[in-house]
């Protein structure tokens, strides 16, 4: 028992100068959750003062004052008589407050006139003997509820200053609901500092034995601990959500951008297909003879442009399959140099850049020939697309130790800025922006997926000259597929 | 005969427009970019210019600026582009008219005829 009442109490919270005699001039702060608890306590405090012949001053809300009067009456006190004799003064808190607040701060002089005047009147009513004044005020709680913390503390100080001239016992009360945030600890300590006594809310004060109180304190400490842990967990969850939110936002932006790029990519083939169809129809309608050369041009356009459309559709389907995790490969034994040469033969027919191949006569590997051809075509197409016409594009194939196969495509073009070298493999990413040349930003994304399905890797290297070099590495053993997507999902969690 | 200078980097589109306009009795010169177009304009002054905006070497903006700097007597320009903000781009270079790709061939022909009616031939 002595543990509590002895030295373990903190030093008395008295503002030094104002509290010469804390017994007669005590300034108590009471916290409460339930109005009924406050009113019980208050009717006891005021009731016993009035019962003992002291004066009572109450500056409270209308509701509290009415309720208090009722309770005092039921304690057998004649409230009307006490009021008539000036021993019981009950004032409205908001109204009284407005009489000394100036520019959002309590004015000391006005406070002394208004509140000091009330105390003088109360003192006069009980003049003589040892009678004192019991005062209750909740103007500070009103200020606090409006967020005027500084004004509330200043008001508490003014009450303390008033104790130099008057002898009274003061009770303040704050509802606990004003301190519902973790950041309210420091402000509540400011309230402690301007009071001589602090009475915790009912969950503590209603306990009757010290043992119960010790248990209650321990439980509160446990709750505090649990809350700290929970707050930390929530902060972490919040950070993770924010990150995820940003990723989703980026994905939506990328998709929107992709839609406009895809629409643009479709415009070109549609313009010539539609145009040539309309041209020939016009000729037919006018019964003009259509020269063979014009017909040939039209059919060539139809053949080429539908080919481009077909390519666009296939890449869109690939992309959709990758997102669904359904892209599959069918690896067989393939002679890689032969595969590369056949791709280059198709390229040479249309490209202005010279594409040279450097590799062994034969090199067998287990790959999906259609998909692997798609990758080589994509890399060589890119190399040509981003290179001046006169430059060459080098394709090199070599067998390294340990059954590793390395395929590289090197160009002397505009290269890839260092900050783009990771993102260039992302879906819809276009390193050189939407306005440069053409494409939907799917090629490298699909190529990387194909190579990873083969258990290989693809990366970009900075060659010793301006331009870029894409390197595909295939290992003998196929690694765990879908590793990257699994990792992404884990990052989300 | 009204002379049209057709500037577009897509050979299919050039072919198409050239066929259609020659059917209508225009004389058509073709250029694959702004630079080639300036050279042709020097040799044979066009009455009307049909201009794509996005082209390699020299784009539509640069061409329009240089063309306007170079000649006092200027041909009206019809912008034909796949850009989504075609109206803004046409306004950028103070063009007479514009069409967005894909366009209707009939509309293009009408547009060219209207511009040809409005402006006297330069030569």
């Amino acid at each position: 028992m002595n543990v509590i009442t002895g030295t373990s109490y903190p030093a008395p919270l008295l503002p030094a100068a104002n509290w010469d005699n804390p017994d007669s001039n005590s300034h108590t702060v009471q916290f409460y959750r339930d109005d009924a608890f406050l009113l019980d306590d208050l009717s006891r405090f005021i009731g016993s003062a009035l019962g003992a012949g002291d004066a009572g001053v109450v500056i409270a809300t209308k509701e509290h004052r009415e309720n208090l009067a009722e309770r005092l009456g039921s304690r057998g006190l004649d409230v009307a008589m006490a009021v008539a004799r000036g021993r019981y003064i009950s004032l409205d808190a908001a109204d009284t407050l407005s009489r000394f607040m100036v520019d959002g701060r309590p004015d000391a002089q006005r406070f002394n006139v208004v509140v000091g005047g009330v105390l003088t009147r109360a003192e006069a009513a009980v003049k003589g003997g040892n009678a004192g004044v019991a005062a209750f005020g909740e103007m500070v709680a009103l200020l606090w509820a409006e967020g005027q913390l500084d004004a509330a503390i200043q008001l508490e100080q003014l009450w303390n200053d008033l104790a130099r001239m008057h002898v009274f016992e003061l009770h303040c009360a704050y509802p606990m609901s004003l301190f519902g945030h973790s950041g309210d600890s420091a402000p509540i300590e400011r309230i402690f500092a301007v009071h001589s006594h602090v009475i915790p809310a009912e969950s503590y004060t209603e306990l009757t034995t010290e043992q119960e109180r010790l248990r209650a304190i321990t439980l509160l400490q446990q709750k505090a601990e649990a809350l700290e842990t929970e707050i930390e967990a929530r902060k972490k969850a919040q950070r993770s959500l924010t990150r995820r939110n940003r990723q989703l936002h980026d994905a939506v932006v990328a998709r929107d951008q992709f839609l406009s790029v895809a629409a643009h990519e479709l415009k070109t083939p549609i313009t010539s297909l539609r145009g040539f169809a309309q041209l020939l129809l016009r000729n037919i309608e006018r019964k003009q003879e259509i020269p063979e050369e014009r017909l040939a041009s039209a059919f060539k356009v139809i053949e080429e442009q539908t080919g481009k459309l077909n390519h666009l559709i296939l890449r869109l389907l690939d992309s959709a399959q990758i997102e669904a995790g359904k892209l599959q490969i069918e690896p067989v034994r393939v002679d890689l140099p032969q595969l590369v040469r056949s791709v280059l033969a198709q390229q040479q027919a249309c490209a202005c850049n010279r594409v040279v191949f450097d590799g062994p006569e034969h090199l067998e590997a287990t790959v999906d020939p259609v998909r692997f051809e798609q990758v080589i075509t994509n890399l060589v197409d890119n190399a040509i697309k981003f290179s001046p016409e006169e430059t060459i594009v080098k394709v090199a194939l070599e067998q390294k130790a340990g059954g590793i196969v390395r395929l590289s495509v090197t160009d002397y073009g505009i290269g890839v800025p260092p900050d783009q070298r990771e993102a260039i493999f992302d879906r819809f990413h276009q390193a050189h922006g939407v306005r440069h040349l053409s494409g939907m930003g799917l090629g490298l994304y699909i190529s990387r997926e194909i190579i990873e399905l083969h258990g290989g890797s693809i990366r970009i290297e900075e060659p010793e000259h301006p331009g870029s070099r894409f390197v595909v590495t295939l290992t003998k053993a196929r690694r765990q597929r879908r590793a990257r997507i699994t990792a992404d999902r884990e990052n989300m969690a | 005969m009204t002379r049209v200078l057709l500037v577009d980097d897509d050979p299919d589109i050039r072919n198409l427009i050239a066929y259609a306009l020659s059917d209508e009795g225009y004389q058509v010169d073709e250029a694959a970019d702004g630079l080639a177009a300036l050279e042709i304009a020097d040799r044979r002054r066009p009455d009307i210019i049909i201009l794509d905006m996005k082209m390699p070497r020299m784009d539509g903006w640069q061409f329009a600026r240089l063309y306007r700097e170079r000649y006092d007597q200027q041909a009206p320009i019809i912008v034909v582009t796949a850009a989504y903000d075609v109206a803004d781009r046409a306004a950028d270079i103070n063009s007479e008219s514009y069409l967005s790709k894909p366009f209707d061939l009939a509309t293009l022909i009408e547009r060219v005829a209207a511009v040809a009616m409005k402006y006297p031939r330069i030569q």
Side-chain angles (χ1 to χ4, degrees), chain A residues 267 274 278 282 286 294, chain B residues 12 23-24 82 104-105:
Chain A
K267 275 181 183 175
R274 201 170 148 74
Q278 290 177 348
R282 265 175 97 86
R286 292 173 172 189
R294 186 179 290 199
Chain B
D12 292 337
D23 281 357
E24 301 299 315
D104 270 326
L105 202 56

Side-chain angles (χ1 to χ4, degrees), chain B residues 26-77:
Chain B
Y26 297 94
Q27 198 150 7
V28 182
D29 291 318
E30 296 177 34
D33 56 56
L35 212 56
L38 280 178
E39 282 169 25
I40 291 171
D42 242 3
R43 277 183 277 132
R44 294 192 293 270
R45 306 285 305 279
D47 300 309
I48 296 172
I49 298 169
I50 295 179
L51 183 65
D52 184 18
M53 297 309 282
K54 210 179 85 176
M55 291 177 293
R57 293 216 300 172
M58 186 193 285
D59 64 24
W61 288 273
Q62 283 173 290
F63 166 79
R65 191 170 51 80
L66 292 173
Y67 173 76
R68 292 202 198 284
E69 276 173 15
R70 200 172 290 189
Y71 304 101
D72 292 335
Q73 236 191 336
Q74 289 163 10
I77 296 176

Side-chain angles (χ1 to χ4, degrees), chain A residues 109-321:
Chain A
Q109 236 169 350
R110 287 189 183 202
F111 175 82
N112 287 338
V113 170
V114 175
V115 180
V118 172
L119 288 176
T120 308
R121 270 200 286 141
E123 283 162 353
V126 294
K127 200 100 185 146
N130 288 325
V133 178
F136 170 77
E138 56 180 357
M139 295 184 288
V140 283
L142 292 189
L143 290 173
W144 201 273
E146 284 171 11
Q148 302 189 58
L149 276 50
D150 288 339
I153 298 293
Q154 280 162 12
L155 182 52
E156 297 279 17
Q157 296 277 17
L158 290 176
W159 276 105
N160 289 342
D161 293 344
L162 214 54
R164 288 178 184 160
M165 283 152 325
H166 301 274
V167 178
F168 60 96
E169 196 178 331
L170 176 63
H171 270 225
C172 307
Y174 290 81
M176 272 319 269
S177 58
L178 293 179
F179 309 94
H181 300 285
S182 58
D184 290 331
S185 308
I188 211 170
E189 285 191 52
R190 292 177 68 192
I191 295 178
F192 295 168
V194 288
H195 291 88
S196 60
H197 297 81
V198 175
I199 305 177
E202 52 267 43
S203 61
Y204 183 80
T205 17
E206 278 174 348
L207 303 175
T208 48
T209 70
E210 291 302 325
Q211 270 308 314
E212 272 182 334
R213 292 182 176 185
L214 285 175
R215 286 189 199 117
I217 288 173
T218 312
L219 266 177
L220 284 173
Q221 289 173 332
Q222 183 274 329
K223 275 186 190 165
E225 188 69 32
L227 280 174
E228 297 262 327
T229 314
E230 196 178 315
I231 288 168
E232 266 318 300
R234 284 190 187 207
K235 277 185 186 161
K236 211 175 145 191
Q238 183 65 39
R239 281 194 293 272
S240 156
L241 272 178
T242 310
R243 195 169 52 237
R244 187 75 197 127
N245 207 21
R246 201 166 42 235
Q247 286 171 351
L248 286 174
H249 175 260
D250 290 350
V252 170
V253 169
R255 187 160 300 197
D256 287 349
Q257 219 165 34
F258 166 76
L259 283 176
S260 75
V261 169
H264 189 89
E265 282 298 293
L266 292 173
K267 275 181 183 175
T268 313
I270 296 293
T271 303
S272 20
L273 284 172
R274 201 170 148 74
F276 270 97
Q278 290 177 348
L279 176 73
L280 295 187
L281 271 174
R282 265 175 97 86
N283 291 151
I284 290 165
E285 278 160 10
R286 292 173 172 189
K287 304 202 184 309
Q288 286 170 328
E289 197 189 325
I290 304 172
E292 204 171 302
E293 175 221 344
R294 186 179 290 199
L295 267 181
S297 296
F299 283 122
K300 191 169 144 276
V301 162
I302 292 168
E303 207 278 326
E304 279 179 11
Q305 299 302 337
T306 50
K308 276 188 192 168
L309 287 175
N310 192 40
H311 179 81
L312 289 179
I313 290 164
L314 288 176
R315 294 300 80 84
L316 284 172
L317 285 175
D318 285 349
S319 167
Q321 280 200 311

